[in-house]
Coordinates of all heavy atoms in Angstrom, one line a residue:
M1 N -1.5 1.2 -8.6 CA -0.3 0.5 -8.9 C -0.2 -0.7 -8.0 O 0.2 -1.8 -8.4 CB 0.9 1.5 -8.7 CG 2.2 0.8 -8.9 SD 3.5 2.0 -9.3 CE 4.4 2.0 -7.7
G2 N -0.4 -0.5 -6.7 CA -0.2 -1.6 -5.8 C -1.1 -2.8 -6.0 O -0.7 -4.0 -5.7
M3 N -2.3 -2.7 -6.5 CA -3.2 -3.8 -6.7 C -2.7 -4.8 -7.8 O -2.9 -6.0 -7.7 CB -4.6 -3.3 -7.1 CG -5.3 -2.5 -6.0 SD -5.5 -3.5 -4.5 CE -6.8 -4.7 -5.0
V4 N -2.0 -4.2 -8.8 CA -1.4 -5.1 -9.8 C -0.3 -6.0 -9.2 O -0.3 -7.2 -9.5 CB -0.8 -4.2 -10.9 CG1 0.0 -5.1 -11.9 CG2 -1.9 -3.5 -11.6
H5 N 0.5 -5.5 -8.3 CA 1.5 -6.3 -7.7 C 0.9 -7.3 -6.7 O 1.4 -8.4 -6.7 CB 2.5 -5.3 -7.0 CG 3.1 -4.3 -7.9 ND1 3.1 -3.0 -7.6 CD2 3.6 -4.4 -9.1 CE1 3.6 -2.3 -8.6 NE2 3.9 -3.2 -9.5
L6 N -0.1 -6.9 -6.0 CA -0.8 -7.9 -5.2 C -1.4 -9.0 -6.0 O -1.3 -10.2 -5.6 CB -1.9 -7.2 -4.4 CG -2.7 -8.0 -3.4 CD1 -1.8 -8.7 -2.4 CD2 -3.8 -7.2 -2.7
F7 N -2.0 -8.6 -7.1 CA -2.6 -9.6 -8.0 C -1.6 -10.6 -8.5 O -1.8 -11.8 -8.6 CB -3.4 -9.0 -9.1 CG -4.2 -9.9 -10.0 CD1 -5.2 -10.6 -9.5 CD2 -3.8 -10.0 -11.3 CE1 -5.9 -11.5 -10.3 CE2 -4.5 -10.9 -12.1 CZ -5.6 -11.6 -11.7
Q8 N -0.4 -10.1 -8.9 CA 0.6 -11.0 -9.4 C 1.1 -12.0 -8.3 O 1.3 -13.2 -8.6 CB 1.8 -10.2 -9.9 CG 1.6 -9.4 -11.2 CD 2.8 -8.5 -11.6 OE1 3.8 -9.1 -11.9 NE2 2.6 -7.2 -11.6
T9 N 1.2 -11.5 -7.1 CA 1.6 -12.3 -6.0 C 0.5 -13.4 -5.7 O 0.8 -14.6 -5.5 CB 1.8 -11.5 -4.8 OG1 2.9 -10.5 -5.1 CG2 2.3 -12.3 -3.6
L10 N -0.7 -13.0 -5.7 CA -1.8 -13.9 -5.5 C -1.9 -15.0 -6.6 O -2.1 -16.2 -6.3 CB -3.2 -13.2 -5.4 CG -3.4 -12.5 -4.1 CD1 -4.7 -11.6 -4.2 CD2 -3.5 -13.4 -2.9
L11 N -1.6 -14.6 -7.8 CA -1.6 -15.6 -8.9 C -0.4 -16.6 -8.7 O -0.6 -17.8 -8.9 CB -1.5 -14.9 -10.3 CG -2.7 -14.3 -10.8 CD1 -2.4 -13.6 -12.1 CD2 -3.8 -15.3 -11.0
N12 N 0.7 -16.1 -8.3 CA 1.8 -17.0 -8.0 C 1.5 -18.0 -7.0 O 1.8 -19.2 -7.1 CB 3.1 -16.2 -7.6 CG 3.7 -15.4 -8.7 OD1 3.5 -15.7 -9.8 ND2 4.4 -14.3 -8.3
W13 N 0.8 -17.5 -5.9 CA 0.5 -18.4 -4.8 C -0.6 -19.4 -5.1 O -0.5 -20.6 -4.9 CB 0.1 -17.5 -3.6 CG -0.1 -18.3 -2.3 CD1 0.8 -19.1 -1.7 CD2 -1.2 -18.3 -1.5 NE1 0.3 -19.6 -0.5 CE2 -1.0 -19.1 -0.4 CE3 -2.5 -17.7 -1.6 CZ2 -1.9 -19.3 0.6 CZ3 -3.4 -17.9 -0.6 CH2 -3.1 -18.7 0.5
T14 N -1.7 -18.9 -5.7 CA -2.9 -19.8 -6.0 C -2.7 -20.6 -7.3 O -2.9 -21.8 -7.3 CB -4.2 -18.9 -6.0 OG1 -4.1 -17.9 -7.0 CG2 -4.4 -18.3 -4.7
D15 N -2.5 -19.9 -8.4 CA -2.5 -20.6 -9.7 C -1.2 -21.4 -9.9 O -1.2 -22.5 -10.5 CB -2.7 -19.6 -10.8 CG -4.1 -19.0 -10.8 OD1 -4.9 -19.3 -9.9 OD2 -4.5 -18.4 -11.8
F16 N -0.1 -20.8 -9.5 CA 1.2 -21.5 -9.8 C 1.7 -22.3 -8.6 O 2.8 -22.8 -8.6 CB 2.3 -20.4 -10.2 CG 1.9 -19.8 -11.5 CD1 1.7 -18.4 -11.5 CD2 1.8 -20.5 -12.7 CE1 1.3 -17.8 -12.7 CE2 1.4 -19.8 -13.9 CZ 1.2 -18.5 -13.9
Q17 N 0.9 -22.3 -7.5 CA 1.2 -23.1 -6.3 C 2.5 -22.9 -5.7 O 3.2 -23.8 -5.2 CB 1.0 -24.6 -6.7 CG -0.4 -25.0 -7.2 CD -1.4 -24.8 -6.1 OE1 -1.4 -25.4 -5.1 NE2 -2.5 -24.0 -6.4
M18 N 3.0 -21.6 -5.7 CA 4.3 -21.3 -5.1 C 4.1 -21.2 -3.6 O 3.1 -20.7 -3.2 CB 4.8 -19.9 -5.6 CG 5.3 -19.9 -7.1 SD 5.9 -18.3 -7.5 CE 6.1 -18.5 -9.2
P19 N 5.1 -21.5 -2.8 CA 5.1 -21.2 -1.4 C 4.9 -19.7 -1.2 O 5.4 -18.9 -2.1 CB 6.4 -21.7 -0.9 CG 6.9 -22.7 -1.9 CD 6.4 -22.2 -3.2
L20 N 4.4 -19.3 -0.1 CA 4.1 -17.9 0.1 C 5.3 -17.0 -0.1 O 5.3 -16.0 -0.8 CB 3.5 -17.7 1.5 CG 3.1 -16.2 1.9 CD1 2.0 -15.7 0.9 CD2 2.6 -16.2 3.3
E21 N 6.4 -17.4 0.5 CA 7.6 -16.5 0.4 C 8.1 -16.4 -1.1 O 8.4 -15.3 -1.5 CB 8.8 -17.1 1.2 CG 10.0 -16.2 1.2 CD 11.1 -16.7 2.2 OE1 10.9 -17.6 2.9 OE2 12.1 -16.1 2.2
E22 N 8.1 -17.5 -1.8 CA 8.5 -17.5 -3.2 C 7.5 -16.6 -4.0 O 7.9 -15.9 -4.9 CB 8.5 -18.9 -3.8 CG 9.0 -19.0 -5.2 CD 9.0 -20.4 -5.7 OE1 9.0 -21.4 -4.9 OE2 9.1 -20.5 -6.9
A23 N 6.2 -16.7 -3.7 CA 5.2 -15.9 -4.5 C 5.4 -14.4 -4.3 O 5.3 -13.6 -5.2 CB 3.8 -16.3 -4.0
I24 N 5.8 -14.1 -3.0 CA 6.1 -12.7 -2.7 C 7.4 -12.2 -3.3 O 7.4 -11.0 -3.9 CB 6.0 -12.4 -1.2 CG1 4.6 -12.6 -0.7 CG2 6.6 -11.1 -0.8 CD1 4.4 -12.6 0.8
Q25 N 8.4 -13.0 -3.3 CA 9.7 -12.5 -3.8 C 9.9 -12.6 -5.3 O 10.8 -12.1 -5.8 CB 10.8 -13.3 -3.1 CG 10.8 -13.3 -1.6 CD 10.8 -11.9 -1.0 OE1 11.2 -10.9 -1.6 NE2 10.3 -11.8 0.3
N26 N 9.0 -13.4 -5.9 CA 9.1 -13.6 -7.4 C 9.1 -12.3 -8.1 O 8.5 -11.3 -7.7 CB 7.9 -14.5 -7.8 CG 8.2 -15.3 -9.0 OD1 9.2 -16.0 -9.0 ND2 7.4 -15.2 -10.0
P27 N 9.9 -12.2 -9.2 CA 9.9 -10.9 -10.0 C 8.5 -10.5 -10.5 O 7.7 -11.4 -10.8 CB 10.9 -11.2 -11.1 CG 11.1 -12.6 -11.2 CD 10.7 -13.2 -9.9
R28 N 8.4 -9.2 -10.8 CA 7.1 -8.7 -11.2 C 7.2 -7.8 -12.5 O 8.3 -7.4 -12.8 CB 6.5 -7.8 -10.1 CG 6.3 -8.6 -8.8 CD 5.7 -7.7 -7.7 NE 5.7 -8.5 -6.5 CZ 5.9 -8.0 -5.3 NH1 6.1 -6.7 -5.2 NH2 5.9 -8.7 -4.2
L29 N 6.1 -7.6 -13.1 CA 6.0 -6.7 -14.2 C 5.1 -5.5 -13.8 O 4.3 -5.6 -13.0 CB 5.2 -7.4 -15.4 CG 5.8 -8.7 -15.9 CD1 4.8 -9.3 -16.9 CD2 7.1 -8.4 -16.6
H30 N 5.4 -4.4 -14.5 CA 4.6 -3.2 -14.3 C 4.5 -2.4 -15.6 O 5.5 -2.0 -16.2 CB 5.2 -2.3 -13.2 CG 4.4 -1.0 -12.9 ND1 3.2 -1.0 -12.2 CD2 4.6 0.2 -13.4 CE1 2.7 0.2 -12.2 NE2 3.5 1.0 -12.9
L31 N 3.2 -2.2 -16.0 CA 3.0 -1.4 -17.2 C 2.6 0.0 -16.9 O 1.7 0.2 -16.1 CB 1.8 -2.0 -18.0 CG 1.5 -1.3 -19.3 CD1 2.6 -1.3 -20.3 CD2 0.2 -2.0 -19.9
E32 N 3.3 1.0 -17.4 CA 3.1 2.4 -17.1 C 3.1 3.1 -18.4 O 4.2 3.2 -19.0 CB 4.1 2.9 -16.1 CG 3.7 4.3 -15.6 CD 4.5 4.7 -14.4 OE1 4.7 3.9 -13.5 OE2 5.0 5.8 -14.4
G33 N 2.0 3.6 -18.9 CA 2.0 4.3 -20.2 C 2.3 3.2 -21.3 O 1.6 2.2 -21.3
L34 N 3.2 3.5 -22.1 CA 3.6 2.6 -23.2 C 5.0 1.9 -22.8 O 5.7 1.4 -23.7 CB 3.8 3.3 -24.5 CG 2.5 3.9 -25.0 CD1 2.8 4.7 -26.3 CD2 1.4 2.9 -25.2
Q35 N 5.2 1.8 -21.5 CA 6.5 1.2 -21.1 C 6.2 0.0 -20.2 O 5.5 0.1 -19.2 CB 7.4 2.2 -20.3 CG 8.7 1.6 -19.9 CD 9.6 2.6 -19.4 OE1 10.1 3.5 -20.1 NE2 9.9 2.6 -18.1
L36 N 6.7 -1.2 -20.6 CA 6.6 -2.4 -19.7 C 7.9 -2.5 -18.9 O 9.0 -2.7 -19.5 CB 6.4 -3.6 -20.6 CG 6.3 -4.9 -19.8 CD1 5.1 -4.9 -18.9 CD2 6.3 -6.1 -20.8
N37 N 7.8 -2.3 -17.6 CA 8.9 -2.5 -16.7 C 9.0 -3.9 -16.3 O 8.0 -4.5 -15.8 CB 8.7 -1.6 -15.5 CG 8.8 -0.1 -15.9 OD1 9.8 0.4 -15.9 ND2 7.6 0.5 -16.2
I38 N 10.2 -4.5 -16.4 CA 10.4 -5.9 -16.1 C 11.4 -6.0 -15.0 O 12.6 -5.6 -15.2 CB 10.8 -6.7 -17.3 CG1 9.8 -6.5 -18.5 CG2 11.1 -8.2 -17.0 CD1 10.3 -7.0 -19.8
E39 N 11.0 -6.6 -13.9 CA 12.0 -6.7 -12.7 C 13.0 -7.8 -13.0 O 12.7 -8.8 -13.6 CB 11.2 -7.0 -11.5 CG 12.0 -6.8 -10.2 CD 11.1 -6.9 -8.9 OE1 10.1 -7.6 -9.0 OE2 11.5 -6.3 -7.9
K40 N 14.2 -7.6 -12.5 CA 15.3 -8.6 -12.6 C 14.8 -9.9 -12.1 O 14.1 -10.0 -11.1 CB 16.4 -8.1 -11.7 CG 17.6 -9.1 -11.7 CD 18.6 -8.7 -10.7 CE 19.7 -9.7 -10.6 NZ 20.8 -9.4 -9.8
G41 N 15.1 -11.0 -12.8 CA 14.8 -12.3 -12.3 C 14.0 -13.1 -13.3 O 13.8 -14.3 -13.1
F42 N 13.4 -12.4 -14.3 CA 12.6 -13.2 -15.3 C 13.6 -13.9 -16.2 O 14.7 -13.4 -16.5 CB 11.7 -12.2 -16.1 CG 10.4 -11.9 -15.5 CD1 10.3 -10.7 -14.7 CD2 9.3 -12.7 -15.6 CE1 9.1 -10.4 -14.1 CE2 8.1 -12.4 -15.0 CZ 8.0 -11.3 -14.2
D43 N 13.1 -15.0 -16.7 CA 13.9 -15.8 -17.7 C 14.2 -15.0 -18.9 O 13.3 -14.5 -19.6 CB 13.1 -17.0 -18.1 CG 13.9 -18.0 -18.9 OD1 14.6 -17.6 -19.9 OD2 13.7 -19.2 -18.7
E44 N 15.5 -14.8 -19.2 CA 15.9 -14.0 -20.4 C 15.4 -14.5 -21.7 O 15.1 -13.7 -22.6 CB 17.4 -13.8 -20.4 CG 18.0 -13.0 -19.2 CD 19.5 -12.9 -19.2 OE1 20.1 -13.0 -20.3 OE2 20.1 -12.6 -18.1
E45 N 15.3 -15.8 -21.8 CA 14.8 -16.3 -23.1 C 13.3 -15.9 -23.3 O 12.9 -15.6 -24.4 CB 14.9 -17.9 -23.1 CG 14.5 -18.5 -24.4 CD 14.7 -20.0 -24.4 OE1 15.5 -20.5 -23.6 OE2 14.0 -20.7 -25.2
V46 N 12.5 -16.0 -22.2 CA 11.1 -15.6 -22.3 C 11.0 -14.1 -22.6 O 10.2 -13.7 -23.5 CB 10.4 -15.9 -21.0 CG1 9.0 -15.3 -20.9 CG2 10.3 -17.4 -20.7
I47 N 11.8 -13.3 -22.0 CA 11.8 -11.8 -22.2 C 12.2 -11.5 -23.7 O 11.6 -10.7 -24.3 CB 12.8 -11.1 -21.3 CG1 12.2 -11.1 -19.9 CG2 13.0 -9.6 -21.7 CD1 13.2 -10.6 -18.8
S48 N 13.2 -12.2 -24.2 CA 13.6 -12.0 -25.6 C 12.5 -12.3 -26.6 O 12.5 -11.8 -27.7 CB 14.9 -12.8 -25.9 OG 14.6 -14.2 -26.0
K49 N 11.6 -13.2 -26.3 CA 10.5 -13.6 -27.2 C 9.2 -12.8 -27.0 O 8.3 -12.9 -27.7 CB 10.1 -15.1 -26.9 CG 11.2 -16.0 -27.3 CD 10.8 -17.5 -27.1 CE 12.0 -18.4 -27.5 NZ 11.6 -19.8 -27.2
L50 N 9.3 -11.9 -26.0 CA 8.1 -11.0 -25.8 C 7.9 -10.1 -26.9 O 8.8 -9.3 -27.3 CB 8.4 -10.2 -24.5 CG 7.2 -9.7 -23.7 CD1 6.6 -10.9 -23.0 CD2 7.7 -8.7 -22.7
E51 N 6.7 -10.1 -27.5 CA 6.3 -9.2 -28.5 C 5.4 -8.1 -28.0 O 4.3 -8.4 -27.5 CB 5.6 -9.9 -29.7 CG 6.5 -10.9 -30.4 CD 5.9 -11.6 -31.6 OE1 5.0 -11.0 -32.2 OE2 6.3 -12.7 -31.9
L52 N 5.8 -6.9 -28.1 CA 5.0 -5.7 -27.6 C 4.4 -5.0 -28.7 O 4.9 -5.0 -29.8 CB 5.9 -4.8 -26.8 CG 6.6 -5.3 -25.5 CD1 7.5 -4.3 -24.9 CD2 5.6 -5.8 -24.5
P53 N 3.3 -4.4 -28.5 CA 2.7 -3.5 -29.5 C 3.6 -2.4 -30.0 O 4.5 -2.0 -29.3 CB 1.4 -2.9 -28.8 CG 1.1 -3.9 -27.7 CD 2.5 -4.4 -27.3
R54 N 3.4 -2.0 -31.2 CA 4.2 -0.9 -31.8 C 4.2 0.3 -30.9 O 3.2 0.6 -30.2 CB 3.5 -0.5 -33.1 CG 4.4 0.5 -33.9 CD 3.7 0.8 -35.2 NE 4.5 1.8 -35.9 CZ 4.2 2.3 -37.0 NH1 3.1 2.0 -37.6 NH2 5.0 3.3 -37.5
D55 N 5.4 0.9 -30.8 CA 5.6 2.1 -30.0 C 5.8 1.8 -28.5 O 6.0 2.7 -27.7 CB 4.5 3.2 -30.2 CG 4.5 3.7 -31.6 OD1 5.5 3.7 -32.3 OD2 3.4 4.1 -32.0
W56 N 5.6 0.6 -28.1 CA 5.8 0.3 -26.7 C 7.3 0.1 -26.4 O 8.0 -0.4 -27.3 CB 5.1 -1.0 -26.3 CG 3.6 -0.8 -26.1 CD1 2.8 0.0 -26.7 CD2 2.8 -1.6 -25.2 NE1 1.5 -0.1 -26.3 CE2 1.5 -1.1 -25.3 CE3 3.0 -2.6 -24.2 CZ2 0.4 -1.6 -24.6 CZ3 2.0 -3.1 -23.5 CH2 0.7 -2.6 -23.7
Q57 N 7.7 0.4 -25.2 CA 9.1 0.2 -24.8 C 9.2 -0.9 -23.7 O 8.3 -1.0 -23.0 CB 9.8 1.5 -24.4 CG 9.8 2.5 -25.5 CD 10.5 3.8 -25.0 OE1 10.9 3.9 -23.8 NE2 10.5 4.8 -25.8
R58 N 10.3 -1.5 -23.6 CA 10.6 -2.5 -22.6 C 11.8 -2.0 -21.8 O 12.8 -1.6 -22.3 CB 10.9 -3.8 -23.3 CG 11.5 -4.9 -22.5 CD 11.9 -6.1 -23.3 NE 11.4 -6.0 -24.7 CZ 11.2 -7.0 -25.5 NH1 11.5 -8.2 -25.0 NH2 10.8 -6.9 -26.7
L59 N 11.6 -2.0 -20.5 CA 12.7 -1.6 -19.6 C 13.0 -2.7 -18.6 O 12.1 -3.1 -17.8 CB 12.4 -0.3 -18.8 CG 13.4 0.1 -17.7 CD1 14.7 0.5 -18.4 CD2 12.9 1.3 -17.0
I60 N 14.2 -3.3 -18.7 CA 14.5 -4.4 -17.8 C 15.4 -3.9 -16.7 O 16.5 -3.3 -16.9 CB 15.3 -5.5 -18.6 CG1 14.4 -6.0 -19.8 CG2 15.7 -6.6 -17.7 CD1 15.1 -6.9 -20.8
W61 N 14.9 -4.0 -15.5 CA 15.6 -3.5 -14.3 C 16.7 -4.4 -14.0 O 16.6 -5.6 -14.1 CB 14.6 -3.3 -13.2 CG 13.6 -2.3 -13.4 CD1 12.7 -2.2 -14.4 CD2 13.4 -1.1 -12.6 NE1 11.9 -1.0 -14.2 CE2 12.3 -0.4 -13.1 CE3 14.0 -0.6 -11.4 CZ2 11.9 0.8 -12.5 CZ3 13.5 0.5 -10.8 CH2 12.5 1.3 -11.4
T62 N 17.8 -3.8 -13.4 CA 19.0 -4.6 -13.1 C 18.9 -5.2 -11.6 O 19.8 -5.9 -11.3 CB 20.3 -3.8 -13.3 OG1 20.2 -2.6 -12.5 CG2 20.4 -3.4 -14.7
E63 N 18.0 -4.7 -10.9 CA 17.8 -5.2 -9.5 C 16.4 -5.1 -9.1 O 15.6 -4.4 -9.7 CB 18.7 -4.5 -8.5 CG 18.5 -3.0 -8.5 CD 19.5 -2.2 -7.7 OE1 20.7 -2.6 -7.8 OE2 19.1 -1.3 -6.9
K64 N 16.1 -5.8 -8.0 CA 14.7 -5.6 -7.4 C 14.6 -4.2 -6.9 O 15.5 -3.6 -6.4 CB 14.5 -6.7 -6.3 CG 14.3 -8.1 -6.9 CD 13.8 -9.0 -5.8 CE 13.5 -10.3 -6.5 NZ 12.8 -11.2 -5.6
S65 N 13.3 -3.7 -6.9 CA 13.1 -2.3 -6.5 C 11.8 -2.1 -5.9 O 10.8 -2.8 -6.2 CB 13.2 -1.5 -7.8 OG 12.8 -0.1 -7.5
M66 N 11.7 -1.1 -5.1 CA 10.4 -0.7 -4.4 C 9.4 -0.2 -5.5 O 8.2 -0.1 -5.2 CB 10.7 0.4 -3.4 CG 11.3 -0.1 -2.1 SD 11.2 1.1 -0.8 CE 12.7 2.1 -1.2
F67 N 9.9 0.1 -6.7 CA 9.0 0.5 -7.8 C 8.0 -0.5 -8.1 O 6.8 -0.2 -8.5 CB 9.9 0.7 -9.1 CG 9.1 1.1 -10.3 CD1 8.6 2.4 -10.5 CD2 8.8 0.1 -11.2 CE1 7.9 2.7 -11.6 CE2 8.0 0.4 -12.3 CZ 7.6 1.7 -12.6
F68 N 8.3 -1.8 -7.8 CA 7.4 -2.9 -8.1 C 6.5 -3.2 -6.8 O 5.9 -4.3 -6.8 CB 8.2 -4.1 -8.5 CG 8.8 -3.9 -9.9 CD1 10.1 -3.4 -10.0 CD2 8.1 -4.1 -11.0 CE1 10.7 -3.2 -11.2 CE2 8.7 -3.9 -12.3 CZ 10.0 -3.5 -12.4
G69 N 6.4 -2.3 -5.9 CA 5.5 -2.5 -4.8 C 6.1 -3.3 -3.7 O 7.2 -3.8 -3.7
G70 N 5.3 -3.5 -2.7 CA 5.7 -4.3 -1.5 C 4.5 -5.1 -1.1 O 3.5 -4.5 -0.7
V71 N 4.6 -6.4 -1.0 CA 3.5 -7.3 -0.6 C 4.0 -8.1 0.5 O 5.0 -8.8 0.4 CB 3.1 -8.2 -1.8 CG1 2.0 -9.1 -1.3 CG2 2.7 -7.4 -3.0
N72 N 3.3 -8.0 1.6 CA 3.6 -8.9 2.8 C 2.4 -9.8 2.9 O 1.2 -9.5 2.6 CB 3.8 -8.1 4.1 CG 4.9 -7.1 3.9 OD1 6.0 -7.6 3.6 ND2 4.7 -5.9 4.2
G73 N 2.6 -11.0 3.4 CA 1.5 -11.9 3.5 C 1.5 -12.9 4.7 O 2.6 -13.1 5.2
V74 N 0.4 -13.4 5.0 CA 0.2 -14.5 6.0 C -0.7 -15.5 5.5 O -1.8 -15.2 4.9 CB -0.3 -13.9 7.4 CG1 -0.5 -15.0 8.4 CG2 0.6 -12.8 7.9
A75 N -0.4 -16.8 5.6 CA -1.2 -17.9 5.2 C -1.3 -19.0 6.2 O -0.3 -19.2 6.9 CB -0.7 -18.4 3.8
A76 N -2.4 -19.7 6.2 CA -2.5 -20.8 7.1 C -2.3 -22.1 6.3 O -2.8 -22.3 5.2 CB -3.9 -20.8 7.8
D77 N -1.6 -23.1 6.9 CA -1.5 -24.4 6.3 C -2.7 -25.3 6.6 O -3.6 -24.8 7.3 CB -0.2 -25.1 6.7 CG -0.1 -25.4 8.2 OD1 -1.1 -25.5 8.9 OD2 1.1 -25.7 8.6
V78 N -2.7 -26.5 6.2 CA -3.9 -27.4 6.4 C -4.2 -27.6 7.9 O -5.3 -27.9 8.3 CB -3.8 -28.7 5.7 CG1 -3.8 -28.5 4.2 CG2 -2.5 -29.4 6.1
K79 N -3.2 -27.5 8.8 CA -3.4 -27.7 10.2 C -3.7 -26.4 10.9 O -3.9 -26.3 12.1 CB -2.1 -28.2 10.8 CG -1.8 -29.6 10.3 CD -0.5 -30.2 11.0 CE -0.2 -31.5 10.5 NZ 1.1 -32.1 11.1
G80 N -3.8 -25.3 10.2 CA -4.1 -24.0 10.8 C -2.9 -23.2 11.3 O -3.1 -22.1 11.9
N81 N -1.7 -23.7 11.1 CA -0.5 -23.0 11.4 C -0.3 -21.8 10.5 O -0.4 -22.0 9.3 CB 0.7 -23.9 11.4 CG 0.5 -25.1 12.4 OD1 0.2 -24.9 13.5 ND2 0.8 -26.3 11.9
L82 N 0.0 -20.7 11.1 CA 0.2 -19.5 10.3 C 1.7 -19.3 9.8 O 2.6 -19.6 10.6 CB -0.2 -18.2 11.0 CG -1.6 -18.1 11.4 CD1 -1.9 -16.9 12.2 CD2 -2.5 -18.2 10.2
K83 N 1.9 -18.9 8.6 CA 3.2 -18.7 8.1 C 3.2 -17.3 7.4 O 2.3 -17.0 6.6 CB 3.6 -19.8 7.0 CG 4.8 -19.6 6.2 CD 6.0 -19.9 7.0 CE 7.3 -19.9 6.1 NZ 8.5 -19.9 6.9
G84 N 4.2 -16.5 7.7 CA 4.2 -15.2 7.1 C 5.5 -14.9 6.3 O 6.4 -15.7 6.4
S85 N 5.4 -13.9 5.4 CA 6.6 -13.6 4.6 C 6.5 -12.1 4.4 O 5.5 -11.5 4.1 CB 6.5 -14.3 3.3 OG 7.7 -14.0 2.5
G86 N 7.7 -11.4 4.5 CA 7.8 -10.0 4.2 C 8.6 -9.7 2.9 O 9.5 -10.5 2.6
D87 N 8.1 -8.7 2.2 CA 8.7 -8.4 0.9 C 10.1 -7.7 1.1 O 10.1 -6.6 1.7 CB 7.8 -7.5 0.1 CG 8.1 -7.5 -1.3 OD1 9.3 -7.5 -1.7 OD2 7.1 -7.3 -2.1
E88 N 11.1 -8.3 0.6 CA 12.5 -7.7 0.7 C 12.6 -6.4 0.0 O 13.4 -5.6 0.3 CB 13.5 -8.7 0.1 CG 13.4 -9.0 -1.3 CD 14.3 -10.1 -1.8 OE1 14.7 -10.9 -1.0 OE2 14.6 -10.1 -3.0
R89 N 11.7 -6.1 -1.0 CA 11.7 -4.8 -1.7 C 11.4 -3.6 -0.7 O 11.8 -2.5 -1.0 CB 10.6 -4.8 -2.8 CG 10.9 -5.7 -3.9 CD 9.7 -5.8 -4.8 NE 9.8 -6.9 -5.8 CZ 9.5 -8.2 -5.6 NH1 9.0 -8.5 -4.4 NH2 9.7 -9.1 -6.5
R90 N 10.6 -3.9 0.3 CA 10.3 -2.9 1.3 C 10.8 -3.2 2.7 O 10.3 -2.8 3.7 CB 8.8 -2.8 1.4 CG 8.1 -2.4 0.1 CD 8.0 -0.9 -0.1 NE 7.4 -0.6 -1.4 CZ 7.0 0.5 -1.7 NH1 7.0 1.5 -0.9 NH2 6.5 0.7 -2.9
F91 N 11.8 -4.1 2.7 CA 12.5 -4.5 4.0 C 11.5 -5.1 4.9 O 11.6 -4.9 6.1 CB 13.2 -3.3 4.6 CG 14.1 -2.6 3.7 CD1 13.8 -1.4 3.1 CD2 15.3 -3.2 3.3 CE1 14.7 -0.7 2.2 CE2 16.2 -2.5 2.4 CZ 15.9 -1.3 1.9
G92 N 10.5 -5.9 4.4 CA 9.5 -6.6 5.2 C 10.2 -7.7 6.0 O 11.1 -8.3 5.6
V93 N 9.6 -7.9 7.2 CA 10.1 -8.9 8.1 C 9.0 -9.7 8.7 O 7.8 -9.2 8.7 CB 11.0 -8.4 9.3 CG1 12.3 -7.7 8.7 CG2 10.2 -7.4 10.1
V94 N 9.2 -10.9 9.2 CA 8.2 -11.7 9.9 C 8.7 -11.9 11.3 O 9.9 -12.2 11.5 CB 8.1 -13.0 9.2 CG1 7.1 -13.9 10.0 CG2 7.6 -12.8 7.8
M95 N 7.8 -11.7 12.3 CA 8.2 -11.9 13.7 C 7.3 -12.9 14.3 O 6.2 -13.1 13.9 CB 8.1 -10.5 14.4 CG 9.0 -9.5 13.8 SD 9.0 -7.9 14.7 CE 9.8 -8.4 16.2
G96 N 7.8 -13.6 15.2 CA 7.0 -14.5 16.0 C 6.8 -15.9 15.4 O 5.9 -16.6 15.8
E97 N 7.7 -16.3 14.5 CA 7.7 -17.7 14.0 C 8.3 -18.6 14.9 O 9.3 -18.4 15.6 CB 8.3 -17.7 12.6 CG 7.5 -17.0 11.5 CD 8.0 -17.4 10.1 OE1 8.8 -16.6 9.7 OE2 7.5 -18.3 9.6

């Protein structure tokens, strides 16, 4: 389960060029069985257009949750300065900035 959440965060950071904190805090999806769990924060218009295979269910969460994992990260900028971000879903914090 945790690797999917890490992968979503890495895609946010690398492919969508989000700052580290935004990539970590961005809403996530989780597929379990025939149920697609959608974390609060996704664009409602996009969710309404989502077509799922027959018999699949969609569950839209009303708040962020530990169910969607916890990703903490550290990245270096072009000058080598480190920047960290803790996942609010798991009460992550950054110290020493």
Side-chain angles (χ1 to χ4, degrees):
M1 177 160 103
M3 293 302 288
V4 172
H5 304 130
L6 179 59
F7 186 64
Q8 288 177 66
T9 302
L10 285 171
L11 284 176
N12 288 338
W13 186 58
T14 58
D15 290 9
F16 298 116
Q17 301 294 303
M18 290 181 186
L20 183 61
E21 183 172 357
E22 184 180 344
I24 290 172
Q25 304 307 339
N26 210 51
R28 300 181 189 143
L29 301 172
H30 178 77
L31 179 62
E32 191 166 315
L34 299 178
Q35 180 169 295
L36 179 63
N37 293 274
I38 303 169
E39 193 172 27
K40 176 186 176 177
F42 276 96
D43 185 318
E44 291 181 23
E45 184 177 340
V46 171
I47 291 172
S48 70
K49 293 179 181 178
L50 204 73
E51 293 184 28
L52 297 177
R54 186 178 176 186
D55 297 328
W56 283 33
Q57 296 180 1
R58 168 187 348 204
L59 176 61
I60 302 170
W61 291 60
T62 58
E63 58 187 40
K64 288 192 173 192
S65 171
M66 287 192 278
F67 176 81
F68 294 93
V71 178
N72 299 309
V74 176
D77 64 18
V78 293
K79 295 180 180 179
N81 300 313
L82 297 177
K83 172 79 174 167
S85 182
D87 197 328
E88 63 188 25
R89 293 169 189 87
R90 302 268 178 170
F91 308 104
V93 297
V94 177
M95 299 183 72
E97 286 193 272

